[in-house]
Amino acid sequence: MTGRMNRFRRYPALWREFMALSWRRMPGLTLAALASVGASVLVVAATGLTLRAAVDATVRGAAGTAVTAAAGAALAYAHTHVLSGVALQLTSTTADRLGRTVLRPEVHREITALEGLEHLERSDFLDRLSLVVTGTARLAQSPWHALMTLAGVLRLGVTLLLLGTVSPWLLLLLPLAAGLTWADHRGQRLVRAADTGSAEGYRLQQHLLELAVQPAGAKEVLTAGSAAELIDRQAEEWNRAISLRAGARARAALWKAGGWTLFSTGFVAALALVAWMTAHGRGSIGDLVLTVTVAATVKDSLQTVVAATAETAGSSQVIEEYLWLRDYAAGVRARASGGLAAPSLLRDGITLSEVVYTYPGTDRPALDRLSVRLPAGSVVAVVGEYGSGKTTLVKLLAKFYRADSGSILVDGTELAELDTEGWRARSSAAFQDFGRFRTTFADTVGLGDIGALTDRERIAEAVAAADAAGIVAGLPDGLDTQLGVELGGVELSEGQWQRAALARASMRRDPLLFVLDEPTASLDAPSEQAIFERYMARARLLAARTGAVTVIVSHRFSTVTGADLILVLHRGRLVEAGDHRELTALGGRYAELYGLQATAYALGDRTDGSPARKAPGVSP
């Protein structure tokens, strides 16, 4: 509870920050919006006072005063209706521009500046991040909703003050209005809790729905005939999520209806009281007109307050998550103590000592007390079955994760002490879950080194390194071809996307760490062998240039026989290490798995009628 109160105290500071940003970026529009909101408060009093003056002047026979007051009342009444629309339009436009041009880019920068991957791989983080990313418009609107709430309260206060001049009993409308607001807020809390509780199920039903209509999944869905099953499951998740949300909204409506019932009863009683006072000579006809006119605006003023307050309260969820993101990012930056520059050359290499890493929410370590030295200039292959910890190891080397215990030294310096951005600037990688950047082909490659994004010579070198020149030659506009059918471009095959990713990883000429994580999983065997031969040659070139360590992760043992050092992982532990000859002579796990793959490779060839091919390093 204390934590929530502390966060709530941060709201005004956040709103001042947003308003200051709005003023700096859009001073004219912001000033106009503020002026329209302020004027909307004044016209309420002007309308009631001028109407009373017009009626009383008419009763006294003061025609000139009556006409002047009536004209003022007409003008004030017209402004009341015009200003409400103008204020809404101006505040909405101002908030929309702030959200799109300032806050959304800031949120994306905040997310991409985080050095780890936990926030992109954990469902509890993703739920919160999705609310922030999709809620920047509500963030930008939140200070205006708060301001509109304040303006509505002031209008309501002015209204009640005018009513109080007629009879103090009319001020009892204020607690009734407060009760209505409280009831509405309670309903909103129920709705917000239901939206949060059903967020995961709602996301799941959306995923199930998209499986059947996205090109990647539709082929398998149509072949398997599983569309009906997916649709049924989607409907089940949808009904579950919507039932939770609908139930909360029904209960919220009951609270709101109860609040309005109480207020309406008091409103009718107030009008009856003033009518009785006028009939018994305890008030003027102008007072009666003032009461009817102003009291009629109480409902409108109250609706404005309730709506603005509800929007302000509704924004609290995304504000909470936005403040959480800021705190989380600040915490990550505080823990990222590294500020040392990466070395210009690797002389000793990378040493891991007793490294342990366990994924959040799991019990078994993904890496368990792993100790090994990766010599400078070496090609290191990491092999093992699925789930053995191969990808976890390279993610630790790339500083996507931080080890729970143990140390990773780069030429004797803790990796954690190196500046993350600087270390990544001296790293290149192609991951098994590679990105499909739907830009031009030149950009999808050039993004591997942002400083050389427009350097066609460097891009051509990277394309050649990935043996992707044939792909470029077959594209309608060559390197300038737009990729992605949804953007009116060309769709690449899985293997072509992977070659593009390999080319992107080849853009940097002087990395200290070069990672190829299952780099050929989408390629056929001949292409795979050709790629590995090219990248073995590239690894030797980088070793001579910077002492780079090249780490190749593969579940295909036959492709890594030329590595200087082969690490065999099993259930997160390093069980064997050595070169191909040493490990086969050892007759251990590597030799067993290598022999099984070689046999399967040969048998697979015989079943299609072609001669058995020899796996590299295996005698026929």
Side-chain angles (χ1 to χ4, degrees), residues 445-568:
V445 174
L447 284 168
D449 187 353
I450 198 66
L453 182 60
T454 59
D455 189 334
R456 289 303 176 97
E457 181 181 348
R458 292 275 296 280
I459 292 172
E461 288 178 9
V463 168
D467 195 21
I471 299 175
V472 176
L475 296 175
D477 297 314
L479 289 173
D480 296 315
T481 300
Q482 172 67 46
L483 303 181
V485 292
E486 64 269 39
L487 300 177
V490 174
E491 189 61 43
L492 301 182
S493 68
E494 189 75 3
Q496 289 174 326
W497 277 118
Q498 187 154 46
R499 285 182 187 268
L502 285 166
R504 187 163 55 247
S506 303
M507 280 294 293
R508 284 183 174 147
R509 290 174 169 172
D510 61 348
L512 300 176
L513 175 67
F514 186 41
V515 173
L516 297 172
D517 180 15
E518 301 283 8
T520 57
S522 300
L523 303 180
D524 55 60
S527 298
E528 178 185 38
Q529 190 61 36
I531 286 291
F532 268 104
E533 289 174 358
R534 284 174 177 270
Y535 278 97
M536 282 293 187
R538 180 176 178 80
R540 302 304 178 194
L541 177 64
L542 294 176
R545 185 181 296 163
T546 65
V549 173
T550 297
V551 179
I552 300 174
V553 176
S554 180
H555 67 281
R556 297 178 183 176
F557 286 44
S558 62
T559 59
V560 297
T561 56
D564 302 312
L565 176 63
I566 300 174
L567 308 180
V568 184

Side-chain angles (χ1 to χ4, degrees), residues 595-613:
L596 288 173
Q597 285 198 2
T599 301
Y601 192 96
L603 289 175
D605 282 338
R606 290 194 181 100
T607 58
D608 65 9
S610 60
R613 288 177 287 177

Side-chain angles (χ1 to χ4, degrees), residues 331-525:
V332 170
R333 287 192 292 268
R335 292 191 299 272
S337 57
L340 300 178
S344 57
L345 302 172
L346 274 184
R347 292 182 169 81
D348 179 59
I350 303 173
T351 303
L352 296 91
S353 178
E354 295 289 310
V355 171
V356 176
Y357 181 80
T358 304
Y359 286 97
T362 62
D363 297 325
R364 183 176 68 84
L367 289 178
D368 191 1
R369 293 175 294 181
L370 188 147
S371 297
V372 69
R373 176 173 169 266
L374 314 181
S378 63
V379 176
V380 180
V382 186
V383 299
E385 298 167 305
Y386 289 109
S388 59
K390 303 186 300 295
T391 296
T392 303
L393 172 59
V394 298
K395 287 182 175 179
L396 283 170
L397 294 175
K399 294 192 73 173
F400 292 143
Y401 305 144
R402 177 173 292 201
D404 299 327
S405 61
S407 64
I408 303 176
L409 304 178
V410 179
D411 274 359
T413 301
E414 282 278 2
L415 178 60
E417 297 300 321
L418 297 181
D419 174 67
T420 300
E421 187 175 345
W423 174 246
R424 290 185 184 154
R426 300 300 307 279
S427 304
S428 287
F431 294 101
Q432 58 178 317
D433 48 350
F434 51 85
R436 293 162 178 79
F437 301 158
R438 287 166 171 81
T439 58
T440 64
F441 195 92
D443 283 349
T444 205
V445 174
L447 284 168
D449 187 353
I450 198 66
L453 182 60
T454 59
D455 189 334
R456 289 303 176 97
E457 181 181 348
R458 292 275 296 280
I459 292 172
E461 288 178 9
V463 168
D467 195 21
I471 299 175
V472 176
L475 296 175
D477 297 314
L479 289 173
D480 296 315
T481 300
Q482 172 67 46
L483 303 181
V485 292
E486 64 269 39
L487 300 177
V490 174
E491 189 61 43
L492 301 182
S493 68
E494 189 75 3
Q496 289 174 326
W497 277 118
Q498 187 154 46
R499 285 182 187 268
L502 285 166
R504 187 163 55 247
S506 303
M507 280 294 293
R508 284 183 174 147
R509 290 174 169 172
D510 61 348
L512 300 176
L513 175 67
F514 186 41
V515 173
L516 297 172
D517 180 15
E518 301 283 8
T520 57
S522 300
L523 303 180
D524 55 60

